[in-house]
Every structure is written in structure tokens, then in C-alpha cells.
Amino acid sequence: MINLLALLVQRTKPMTLKQIRQDLVGQYPESDTAARAAFERDKGDLRALGIPIELITLGGDQAGEGAYRVDRKSFELGDLGLTDEERAALQLAMATVRVGASHGDEALWKLGGERALNAQSTSLNIQLDDELMTTLADGVVEHRTLTFSYKGETRNVDPYGLLARAGFWYLVGYDHLRTDRRTFRIDRIDGEISVGDRRSFNRPKDFDLQKAVPTEAELLAEGHGEDAVATVLVDASLASGVRTQFGKQSVVKEHADGGVEFAIPCANLTAFRVWLFAMVDHATVVGPPRVRKQVVTWLTEQAGGR
Amino acid sequence: MAMRKSRRGPRGAAERVEGLLVMLPWLISRKRVKLSDMAKQFKLSEKELMNDLMMAAMCGVPPYTPDALIDVFVDEGEVFAEVPLMFSRPLQLNSAELFALQAMGSAALSMPGADKKGPLASALKKLQPLLPKGDAVVEVDVKAVKFLVEAQHAVSAGQFVAIDYFSPISGSHSSRTIFPRAVFEQMGHWYVRADDDQSGDIRNFRIDRIQKFTPTGKTADPKIEGIEAEVDFFGTDMETATLMVRPAALRLVETYPYISREPQSDGSVKIEMAVGSELWLGRLLLRGGDAIDVLEPAKWVDLGVHTAQAVLKRYS
């Protein structure tokens, strides 16, 4: 296979299979049928590696005959002008951020870098396996529609982008079944994902991947509750986490014992309750009275048994 | 396009050729590399690498005279390569490789303390034109937490650190001295892995639960421990619970790892999961409300009720 590639790259003119067989003596079987089959296999393998073999129909004395050529520009990576410092930065980042699969290492090698072999003090895990990453990347990079089963339904989705957040991967795209934009958690996709043709859709120009998947704070604010904001007293032990999540501007009052009152969006009462009770008995709704009463009523129902 | 796709058994011809087309330009750009280093870099045994290089050395174009063969050879444990007529340039990056680079870049740049105008940012900018229409197809949100940068520094500097830690599993606070070995993110949370003086063991502490983080002034040689894969927080001796989860609470429950998942005809899902502690399960049941029932074990069937009663006391 390497010899075939070397030959087609080196020769400037397209070569017929007959010429290839003459030059690569002994590489292909003597029987025409077997030689054709072996050649097709090599051709397929090279194409799978991203090396396109062009078929040209000859004219003149060889009119109608097929000939093959490979343009090295079609498969070789051009010089990106990466400096040693930039290559080292990519290498360090790749060692720190574990994207899973082996695609990251392979990208580094192609860029002339090296896989870091020493232990890194920091690591971030956003792993996808080889096969899944290949499929999803083909979809989002090459604009191929993806088809998969999700919650028992077959979905055809034009994938606009993938977002990793809080330990999960999300696929955002146009869902042909719902005729609207939807978000899918990757680990909830059932079975295989099939990939459509290249360039089967255009991504909207105004698409913003970060904004497409709401954060927890945004989810709390997306609702029709009568009150938009609740004041929540959080014990000192958990206050710093809430401050990081909602920002300094959410602090209403700091208590002497380290407890902090925060202004938290609560228009989506269900989401608010789920957020609030993650702190169990380390947080209390102080107001407004209507929200506090709703929380107490709900707790009373739960405490009464089911 | 891994150097070793199949975990066991010999690699196929196509896999070996694929590997060579990546290794040759890499080698040519260096001209001379130790065989053992190169084998390690490409995740091959030295014998496998030797065989691949020998195969490459026999390849070329007719008339297969020495000047028409790929010029690569091994001498005294070192691999040498000269610039040949072909295979001096790497293959183009495929979609998955571009995706991996973009994901990694997005994550690394959003980490606390990242230099957003440094060499990584400029490298990613140079890669951007390789994407169709310059699309940003993948992004990674990295949560910022207090003491993350300090914990990273403690690992590399070999610092002993006094911490105040809140454990929701036990519902208790503790003060301990740790010697950090690694900082890692998993399932959206940052952890510091450290020698812990209180347990005499190596423990993983969630950084957002550290209340105080104070270097003691004592240092030792760093014991940096690479976290190669996802850390299994669920030991084999952990108790399990079987829950019936109705659709309203599926989104909540499914953010946690589970052992088994069995969809029911009414849209509910029967889920078996490892339980870190009774407090942890009580919290999950409280958050899920009447959309979660404990099926097994019997001792936790009313745990949600008891947890709600405890929280209700704060309002009385």
C-alpha cells in the first residue's frame, strides 16, 4: 500500500492499473481479477486514511480507460507556522485536558509535537471514546446530519456543536422531528449513531454554543413563578460554593457566623427547589413570604409520607 | 488512527501503514531518535516499531535502488531518517483530530489562570482555518472554584497544607493536613488527591468543599501522581439502592453514575445506583420529591420522608 501511494505521488501523470502493476512488480497477483480486487482494497484503505485517489478517464489512444493519481496537496498538511512554544503549549494542554480517545495524541504527532509521558499535576476529564468522537466530529465539523435513537424516538439532527459542561457532553442542533433546536445529552443516546452526507446543512450564523445550553442559574430564572428572586440563607460551610456559582453580586447580607444571604432566581420553582435541597438543611428560604410558604408546604407534604 | 487500534493480537497491514504515515514525518522532522523513546511515544513495543521501520525501509518507488527507497534505519538503539522524496509532510488532520484539539484548547483556555493571549491561544488561532468556515464546533465549560490555583501550586511545590473540610457524606467538618499529589476534574467537580494525615491514607477532596486552605510552610519533594483515567469513587463494598424514578426526576437522578437502568412502560426508569452515604441518598430523595421511590433496601424506603422532616425543622 505504501509503494502504491509512493508511486502515485511521485508520478506526475495518472497511471492505469496496468501501468501500476507493471511498475509494482510482484505486488499484485497475476490474475487480472485478483489484482483488481487487491488494488481496490489498497485504494479503499488509502481513502480511509484521508488520501483521495482520483480516477481520471483518459483520452487519445487510451480513450475511455481509467487512470489514477494522487495529488499530495490533497492529503498533506500545509505548514501552519506553529512555533516551538506554541507546539509545547498544545502538548501541555493536551496532557492536562484528557479528551479521551487517541485522536488528540495523533493530532499532536501530525503537528510535530509529542505526547507528554510524565505525570501531570492537573487533569481535566472530558472523555469520549474513539468511535463516538469520530462520529460526532464528522457530524459537527463536516456538517453531516446524525440519526440516532433518543428516549425511544428516532431523531435526525443537524449537529451545530458539542458542549462539555459539568461532566456531561451535550449535542446541540436542529431536530427534524421537533422542527426546532434541541439539546441532547450524549450519554443518553441509545445505540449507534449513523452519519449522513457531507454539507447536508448550514449552521445558523447567529448560533452561540455557550448560550444554547442553559446553566443552572439560567434554568432557575426560566419560569412563570410569581416571584423572580428569593433570598436564601446559606450556612458558612456551603456559602463559598454558592458565591462562586452566582457571583458576588448575589450576596445580600453576610452574617457574623459566616452564613450568607443570597438573592437567587426562582421563577422556575421546581428547578429552584431542586437547587435549594441540594444543600439539605444547610440553607433556608428567608423570603419573599410566598416562596418560603411554598417551600414549607412542599416540605410538609414530603414529611407526611407518601 | 491510533498506533495500536487493536488492543490484542497483531496489527493489520492497514493499521501499520497508517501508523507509518504519521511516524515518518514526525521522525524526519527530528532526524534521529532513540528507539525506546520512539516506541514509548507511539505506544508500541520496540519489536513492533522495528518491524514497522523495516517495512518502511523496503518501500519506495521503482527501480527500488537505495535512492528510491525510504531512507530510515536503526543503528545502536537509535532510529535515523533522512528526508525522502515523499512522506516528509504529515497527513492532514481529520475531523476527530480537529475536534480533539478544539475541545482541549477550549478547556485549557477556560481553566482558572489560563493565559488567554499566550502561545496556546495563538496555536489554536493558527488551527482555526482548518475548520470549515472557522466554526467553533466544540466548547468546554470549566467550573472555577476557590483554592483551585492554590491546590495546583501546592502539588508542584510539594507543600503541606492545612485544610478545613466539609463532608456532606458525613455532614461534618474536619481540620486536617494534606500533602497534595494531583488536582483533577471529574463529573464537573474539581478534586485534590492528597496524603491525608487524619486517615493515614490517600484521599480525594472536593475542592469546593474546602473552607480554608493554608500552606503550613513545610515542604517535601513533590509526589506528582498523574490521574490517567476516571477515578472510581464507588468501591466494591459500597451499598446500593434500587429506585423507581418518574420522568420528572430523571434529569436529576441521571446526573449520577448508576449500576443499571431499566426503562418501564409508563416512562419511569428503575435505576440501581451506588450510595455514598445515607445523607447523600436522603438529599437525592428530597430533591426528587415524590418523583422518586426507594424500592430496595427496605431501610431507606422512608428516607425521603425523614430527610424532609429534618429540613422542615429549620423553618419552624
Side-chain angles (χ1 to χ4, degrees), chain A residues 106 109 115 165 237 306, chain B residues 1-2 40-41 141 211 292:
Chain A
E106 284 151 8
W109 289 326
R115 184 168 69 88
R165 178 177 283 163
S237 57
R306 304 175 204 162
Chain B
M1 202 252 295
K40 209 170 176 184
Q41 178 63 223
D141 259 2
Q211 315 281 312
I292 309 176

Side-chain angles (χ1 to χ4, degrees), chain A residues 46 65 100 107 126 141 169 258-259 276:
Chain A
L46 287 172
E65 200 171 344
I126 48 168
V141 175
W169 278 100
L276 175 72

Side-chain angles (χ1 to χ4, degrees), chain A residues 1-3 5-7 10 23-24 49 72-81 86 89-90 93-94 97-98 102-103 105-107 109-110 112-115 119-126 133 137-138 140-143 161-169 185 188 199 202-203 209-210 219 235-238 244 274 277-278 280-282 284-285 292 295-296 298-299 302-303 305-306, chain B residues 1-3 14 17-18 20-22 26 30 40-43 59-62 64 85-87 89-93 95-97 99-101 103-104 107-108 111 119-120 122-123 126-127 132-133 135-142 144 152 155 166 173 182-185 187-188 190 211 224 226-228 251-252 254-255 258 283 286-287 289-290 292-293 305 307-309 311-312 314-315:
Chain A
M1 191 161 51
I2 286 195
N3 285 337
L5 177 61
L7 182 68
Q10 205 215 23
D23 273 14
L24 299 179
L49 298 183
R72 53 198 299 172
K73 282 184 191 159
S74 68
F75 71 90
E76 286 184 352
L77 184 64
D79 186 1
L80 298 169
E86 287 167 339
L90 283 172
M94 191 62 86
V97 181
R98 301 187 186 284
S102 50
H103 303 302
D105 292 340
E106 284 151 8
W109 289 326
K110 286 182 178 178
E114 294 179 11
R115 184 168 69 88
Q120 300 297 309
S121 60
T122 302
S123 61
L124 176 73
N125 285 299
I126 48 168
M133 188 185 286
D138 282 349
V140 294
V141 175
E142 298 179 2
H143 292 193
L162 283 144
L163 176 71
R165 178 177 283 163
F168 296 99
W169 278 100
R185 225 176 82 181
R188 292 291 170 254
R199 305 254 161 257
N202 288 316
R203 202 168 82 145
L209 186 52
Q210 280 282 348
L219 273 177
D235 286 355
S237 57
L238 297 177
T244 303
V274 170
F277 291 141
V280 199
D281 56 355
H282 293 282
T284 323
V285 176
R292 184 179 161 93
V295 168
V296 171
W298 190 87
L299 276 171
Q302 298 302 309
R306 304 175 204 162
Chain B
M1 202 252 295
M3 294 302 104
V17 168
E18 190 179 1
L20 273 175
L21 292 176
V22 174
W26 185 90
R30 285 162 176 75
K40 209 170 176 184
Q41 178 63 223
F42 288 97
K43 306 174 198 171
C59 292
V61 289
Y64 303 111
L85 295 172
M86 67 285 295
F87 310 131
R89 293 293 314 158
L91 297 176
Q92 289 176 2
L93 296 166
S95 299
E97 290 158 356
F99 179 92
L101 283 170
M104 168 276 299
M111 281 172 72
L120 176 62
S122 59
K126 288 177 181 176
L127 292 169
K133 294 181 191 168
D135 284 352
V137 293
V138 54
E139 291 188 28
V140 179
D141 259 2
V142 180
Q152 288 173 307
V155 174
F166 171 69
H173 294 264
V183 169
F184 64 98
E185 196 258 17
M187 295 297 287
W190 282 103
Q211 315 281 312
I224 296 173
I227 305 294
E228 291 297 331
R251 187 189 168 97
L252 166 68
E254 290 183 344
T255 54
Y258 56 78
R283 183 177 73 153
L286 182 68
R287 298 174 80 195
D290 52 13
I292 309 176
D293 286 329
V305 173
T307 309
Q309 286 167 350
V311 177
L312 198 54
R314 276 206 52 150
Y315 288 87

Side-chain angles (χ1 to χ4, degrees), chain A:
Chain A
M1 191 161 51
I2 286 195
N3 285 337
L4 172 65
L5 177 61
L7 182 68
L8 292 175
V9 164
Q10 205 215 23
R11 298 286 192 262
T12 47
K13 287 184 179 174
M15 298 181 75
T16 63
L17 177 55
K18 190 178 169 188
Q19 290 168 329
I20 292 169
R21 287 173 67 190
Q22 278 169 356
D23 273 14
L24 299 179
V25 184
Q27 180 159 331
Y28 290 108
E30 287 193 9
S31 136
D32 287 349
T33 312
R36 166 63 68 182
F39 173 71
E40 291 297 331
R41 192 173 54 242
D42 282 353
K43 204 157 57 101
D45 284 344
L46 287 172
R47 279 185 176 147
L49 298 183
I51 301 171
I53 297 181
E54 214 179 329
L55 173 62
I56 312 285
T57 304
L58 300 174
D61 293 347
Q62 293 170 294
E65 200 171 344
Y68 303 91
R69 74 175 173 197
V70 170
D71 177 4
R72 53 198 299 172
K73 282 184 191 159
S74 68
F75 71 90
E76 286 184 352
L77 184 64
D79 186 1
L80 298 169
L82 288 174
T83 64
D84 288 345
E85 198 185 14
E86 287 167 339
R87 212 171 273 117
L90 283 172
Q91 186 174 309
L92 178 63
M94 191 62 86
T96 302
V97 181
R98 301 187 186 284
V99 287
S102 50
H103 303 302
D105 292 340
E106 284 151 8
L108 266 185
W109 289 326
K110 286 182 178 178
L111 296 174
E114 294 179 11
R115 184 168 69 88
L117 299 174
N118 54 334
Q120 300 297 309
S121 60
T122 302
S123 61
L124 176 73
N125 285 299
I126 48 168
Q127 308 232 0
L128 282 174
D129 66 40
D130 269 322
E131 200 181 332
L132 190 56
M133 188 185 286
T134 301
T135 305
L136 295 170
D138 282 349
V140 294
V141 175
E142 298 179 2
H143 292 193
R144 297 171 186 264
T145 299
L146 303 175
T147 303
F148 51 83
S149 172
Y150 195 83
K151 293 185 176 174
E153 292 178 312
T154 300
R155 316 295 274 263
N156 291 302
V157 177
D158 298 339
Y160 294 162
L162 283 144
L163 176 71
R165 178 177 283 163
F168 296 99
W169 278 100
Y170 297 91
L171 169 69
V172 185
Y174 181 80
D175 177 6
H176 290 263
L177 185 69
R178 300 280 186 266
T179 62
D180 201 357
R181 197 176 290 179
R182 287 287 186 273
T183 300
F184 303 89
R185 225 176 82 181
I186 299 295
D187 59 316
R188 292 291 170 254
I189 291 175
D190 296 320
E192 299 286 309
I193 303 175
S194 61
V195 183
D197 296 331
R198 283 173 73 120
R199 305 254 161 257
S200 51
F201 65 90
N202 288 316
R203 202 168 82 145
K205 284 184 181 154
D206 62 345
F207 177 70
D208 184 334
L209 186 52
Q210 280 282 348
K211 288 181 182 165
V213 183
T215 60
E216 187 170 32
E218 286 163 349
L219 273 177
L220 298 184
E222 284 175 4
H224 305 289
E226 292 171 287
D227 297 288
V229 176
T231 304
V232 179
L233 171 60
V234 179
D235 286 355
S237 57
L238 297 177
S240 72
V242 177
R243 194 192 304 257
T244 303
Q245 189 179 5
F246 290 91
K248 278 186 277 186
Q249 68 280 6
S250 65
V251 175
V252 175
K253 187 178 172 186
E254 291 183 292
H255 290 223
D257 65 355
V260 179
E261 288 183 24
F262 293 94
I264 304 294
C266 66
N268 181 343
L269 257 183
T270 306
F272 172 74
R273 208 169 54 212
V274 170
W275 170 83
L276 175 72
F277 291 141
M279 293 177 281
V280 199
D281 56 355
H282 293 282
T284 323
V285 176
V286 177
R290 193 162 35 205
V291 177
R292 184 179 161 93
K293 191 180 172 191
Q294 283 168 322
V295 168
V296 171
T297 304
W298 190 87
L299 276 171
T300 307
E301 283 169 12
Q302 298 302 309
R306 304 175 204 162

